[in-house]
Amino acid sequence: MSPPATTPALAAVIALSLPALARAEGPSRSALELRALAGYGGMVAPSVSHEHELYASNGGAMLSATLLYRSTLPLSPFVELGYAELYASRERVDTAELGALDAESSLATVSFVGGPALDLGLFRVRGGIGLYRLLVESTVLGVTLHTAENDLGWFASVGGDVYRTERFRLGLELRALLVSEAGTACLGVGLTAAGDPLVW
Amino acid sequence: MLLEPMRPELRPWLVILALVATTCGPTGAGSRHPTFPDGGLLAGAAPVPAASFGAFRGTWTVGPGADAFGDVVAAGSTASTTGGAGGAGGAGGAGGAGGTGGAGGTGTASTAGTVSLFAARNEAYVVLRAGCLAGGTELVLEGYWRYAASSDTGLVRLFVGPPDAARALCEGSAPATALSLDGAYGEGADLPDAPLALAYRSPPKEEPGRTFHVVAHRGGCRTSDDCGASENSLEVLRLAESLGADAVEVDVRLTADGVPILYHDDDFSSRLVVGEYCRGPVEAFTFAHVRALCRLRFGEEIPTLEAAMRTMVEETTLRGLWLDVKRAAAVAPAAELARKYMDLAAAAGRHASIVTGLGERDVFDAYVGAGLVGSARCLTELEPEDVHAADCRIFAPRWTRGPMPETVQALQAEGRIVAFWTLDEMDFIDAFLREAVPNALLTNRPGLVFHRFAMLGTLPPPAPEP
């Protein structure tokens, strides 16, 4: 029987993680953890019409605040409130009825997600599901539109601490957002700061 | 480099990022119908006279190919004359011996016509274009087949027989012998190789003043059914007749600055539109925002109601347009446009009924309150009493209320029309055709309703056009 197929990339992840896993110490106490992230993210293949773009900026600030309950169990539930600037552009569209229209637009999202987190040595892997509110602002012919759409979406992240004390940690996190109802995907990276305001 | 100061343990993040990136991405568009390479035989074919398309209308017995399309299919046709008036689509064809070969066309050469076949099995439909070959001695039909309830599709090529009938049709005269169709169909984009043969069976059920209407939902088909165009688009209006409809229902909303547009849902969302900024309540968008930010799912513009009416009147032979008005504020502008385009159609010698649909009580009240009773044509989905209160020519109850044969007969006796919505399942379609004998059915499966009426429907009593 041949061994199960493993991609070289996955093998690399496992190999590089083993030393960290070996050094890892499991949590010994329960705690409420607060973690803040500030970073940068952008959309994967935005469905805007690039042919009309005069200017475009994919991505922007990504911020979040996470509340996580950590215990001696391997999985830790969390909830997270997030904000991400997704896309901004200026487009010129030729229309039959109104001639050439310039549209200055931006898209952002506010999210509220929840799910489990798994600590693997220095790393933390999180997955979640929640509500994404996509916020649109667009100005055309001097009229500014503010509108929004609520969608179901998914969240996944891999993070880890690069500096750690007993009650405070600094780290990095990579995250992916998938607003499945809207077909919108986003990747981001950010710095995290975490503390344990309550330990027992 | 950002990562240079990082500890070695952080390097796997790069690999993880690459893995995550490969799993994310936007959803894709739906499937499209296949086409023959280089235009197929039609690329070098001569146009078929518009008057000849009516000869295909009726029912056909299927020989080889019955496993895919059933034993009997019903055929319809359209023949828009380029730059001319009227088409042959609505006229009674008779492909049988001694038939009239259709009527109503101008005889102007046209390649814009279609012949469509509709089946109950697999809810299949076939849309074919026609061309004359070999100096007008052969007539070929090429196009695609599709199962309405799935994404299965493929190419079809049929030759019209016998040769003297094909020659007659290419000359624009009535064939003296019964028509037959011989050829093949294929899977996907593969060239047709499975035998398909049909023999003309019977002419369509048509009598002067007595008409059954197949009304296609959302302009012709829903976006989710992927018939080749987005719902409520100009493109699907142009397709609707080839899908089996002779009238269509469209959804009317107002933009923030009062422009009537076609759109079904309360909100713009990725279900029906593309454009990252095209999200949220339709009424929040100005028309300029709609134009600048939004496209329908398959790339079409969201049409104005006026453009839809113009397309219906000028580019199709559709006989009816049902305006499903979604907001009370849209009633008066919709009725005004309906009047304008019915007048324009009449001036062009073209019959086109455009009726304002009053589906909700607030919309009904707005219609009555605007003083439109008696001055516009309306349809109500509410109660039979409301038909009289607003003097609507059409009562359109939801199918869940049952066939209501007594109500139907009473309204038909007053010269009114009864149209049930929205019937897509064959068993229910059959039951309503048999028990209610309605004037029209609204459906997402116009081809199936076309077929079922051809097989077991009864023409309703005479009624004036709505």
Side-chain angles (χ1 to χ4, degrees):
Chain A
M1 179 184 292
S2 59
T6 305
T7 65
L10 190 56
V13 171
I14 293 170
L16 290 167
S17 302
L18 285 177
L21 289 172
R23 290 196 304 272
E25 296 174 7
S28 57
R29 292 183 295 176
S30 295
L32 269 184
E33 178 186 305
L34 268 176
R35 184 174 289 260
L37 174 140
Y40 185 88
M43 293 177 68
V44 179
S47 65
V48 291
S49 174
H50 298 296
E51 64 177 302
H52 302 304
E53 283 180 349
L54 304 174
Y55 155 84
S57 169
N58 185 356
M62 183 176 270
L63 305 168
S64 71
T66 309
L67 181 64
L68 179 142
Y69 167 65
R70 202 175 63 234
S71 71
T72 55
L73 298 173
L75 291 178
S76 306
F78 75 90
V79 291
E80 179 178 296
L81 187 63
Y83 169 81
E85 295 174 348
L86 299 178
Y87 205 84
S89 64
R90 183 180 179 87
E91 298 172 84
R92 179 165 296 161
V93 182
D94 289 321
T95 70
E97 299 96 339
L98 303 169
L101 294 175
D102 282 2
E104 187 106 36
S105 310
S106 66
L107 179 68
T109 181
V110 173
S111 59
F112 183 75
V113 299
L118 176 65
D119 287 326
L120 294 168
L122 289 176
F123 296 102
R124 172 175 289 171
V125 179
R126 293 191 294 148
I129 185 172
L131 176 72
Y132 285 80
R133 185 163 176 81
L134 291 167
L135 309 170
V136 172
E137 180 177 314
S138 178
T139 301
V140 181
L141 295 178
V143 178
T144 300
L145 164 77
H146 294 277
T147 186
E149 173 185 275
N150 293 326
D151 292 299
L152 176 73
W154 301 87
F155 167 90
S157 75
V158 178
D161 297 331
V162 294
Y163 173 78
R164 175 184 285 195
T165 68
E166 187 178 357
R167 305 273 300 250
F168 181 75
R169 293 169 294 284
L170 289 175
L172 288 167
E173 184 173 276
L174 297 171
R175 51 175 51 196
L177 319 178
L178 177 61
V179 189
S180 50
E181 282 190 332
T184 297
C186 177
L187 290 175
V189 60
L191 297 170
T192 62
D196 298 340
L198 192 59
V199 178
W200 66 95
Chain B
M1 280 289 290
L2 177 65
L3 296 176
E4 281 178 354
M6 290 185 182
R7 295 164 54 176
E9 291 87 346
L10 305 181
R11 283 179 295 187
W13 292 3
L14 279 178
V15 182
I16 295 167
L17 175 63
L19 287 174
V20 171
T22 59
T23 65
C24 298
T27 54
S31 61
R32 318 307 295 175
H33 299 130
T35 55
F36 281 90
D38 302 321
L41 297 177
L42 292 181
V48 175
S52 296
F53 284 88
F56 295 94
R57 295 173 64 84
T59 61
W60 296 70
T61 303
V62 183
D67 52 338
F69 302 103
D71 295 327
V72 179
V73 298
S77 67
T78 67
S80 300
T81 52
T82 306
T100 63
T106 62
T108 306
S110 169
T111 53
T114 58
V115 175
S116 299
L117 309 176
F118 305 110
R121 180 168 296 178
N122 299 316
E123 299 180 7
Y125 61 88
V126 183
V127 179
L128 302 161
R129 295 196 176 277
C132 292
L133 304 171
T137 59
E138 293 181 16
L139 201 164
V140 66
L141 303 172
E142 283 185 342
Y144 61 88
W145 64 268
R146 170 75 193 271
Y147 293 162
S150 74
S151 58
D152 291 353
T153 186
L155 294 168
V156 178
R157 175 178 287 153
L158 296 167
F159 290 91
V160 177
D164 60 330
R167 191 177 301 111
L169 290 172
C170 284
E171 291 169 352
S173 56
T177 53
L179 296 180
S180 62
L181 301 171
D182 285 289
Y185 69 99
E187 298 283 341
D190 295 342
L191 287 175
D193 58 358
L196 176 62
L198 305 97
Y200 194 81
R201 178 175 175 265
S202 63
K205 295 171 181 170
E206 289 171 347
E207 289 180 25
R210 300 178 67 185
T211 308
F212 174 77
H213 297 285
V214 180
V215 188
H217 197 205
R218 301 193 190 180
C221 80
R222 293 172 299 189
T223 297
S224 57
D225 290 327
D226 193 13
C227 66
S230 302
E231 67 185 50
N232 282 313
S233 65
L234 300 183
E235 288 74 6
V236 85
L237 283 176
R238 297 182 183 112
L239 269 179
E241 289 172 281
S242 67
L243 302 175
D246 68 344
V248 298
E249 177 258 18
V250 296
D251 302 291
V252 181
R253 293 183 177 278
L254 283 186
T255 61
D257 49 348
V259 178
I261 60 170
L262 302 196
Y263 193 76
H264 180 271
D265 291 0
D266 288 339
D267 294 335
F268 288 127
S269 73
S270 60
R271 197 180 79 81
L272 296 179
V273 294
V274 292
E276 290 292 357
Y277 306 123
C278 190
R279 306 172 189 281
V282 173
E283 281 78 8
F285 284 65
T286 65
F287 181 63
H289 280 104
V290 171
R291 273 289 167 274
L293 306 179
C294 301
R295 286 285 186 279
L296 292 170
R297 201 73 181 84
F298 299 140
E300 308 94 332
E301 283 190 337
I302 294 174
T304 62
L305 176 59
E306 180 157 20
M309 290 184 183
R310 189 183 310 119
T311 299
M312 181 255 189
V313 169
E314 296 179 355
E315 299 182 44
T316 78
T317 55
L318 287 166
R319 301 172 70 83
L321 185 63
W322 167 349
L323 310 179
D324 187 355
V325 180
K326 298 293 190 185
R327 287 286 183 270
V331 167
E336 183 60 33
L337 281 171
R339 262 200 302 257
K340 173 183 172 183
Y341 277 89
M342 285 182 66
D343 290 345
L344 287 173
R350 156 101 162 80
H351 177 82
S353 291
I354 305 176
V355 295
T356 304
L358 314 174
E360 300 291 339
R361 181 59 63 185
D362 62 331
V363 175
F364 181 90
D365 291 343
Y367 181 86
V368 175
L372 292 167
V373 176
S375 64
R377 297 190 179 190
C378 66
L379 165 158
T380 184
E381 303 169 21
L382 300 174
E383 299 298 332
E385 305 84 75
D386 297 311
V387 175
H388 298 110
D391 193 20
C392 290
R393 295 199 184 187
I394 304 174
F395 178 49
R398 190 175 187 180
W399 71 274
T400 48
R401 298 171 71 167
M404 301 190 295
E406 292 177 1
T407 303
V408 173
Q409 288 165 18
L411 289 169
Q412 287 176 336
E414 298 171 6
R416 300 183 200 274
I417 281 175
V418 179
F420 289 93
W421 62 276
T422 301
L423 285 148
D424 298 339
E425 300 291 332
M426 187 165 73
D427 290 344
F428 289 99
I429 293 167
D430 289 356
F432 276 74
L433 287 174
R434 285 194 175 108
E435 296 174 31
V437 192
N439 302 81
L441 292 181
L442 174 64
T443 180
N444 293 301
R445 297 281 186 266
L448 181 61
V449 172
F450 188 105
H451 178 274
R452 300 318 295 162
F453 179 77
M455 297 304 294
L456 53 83
T458 302
L459 284 168
E465 291 282 355

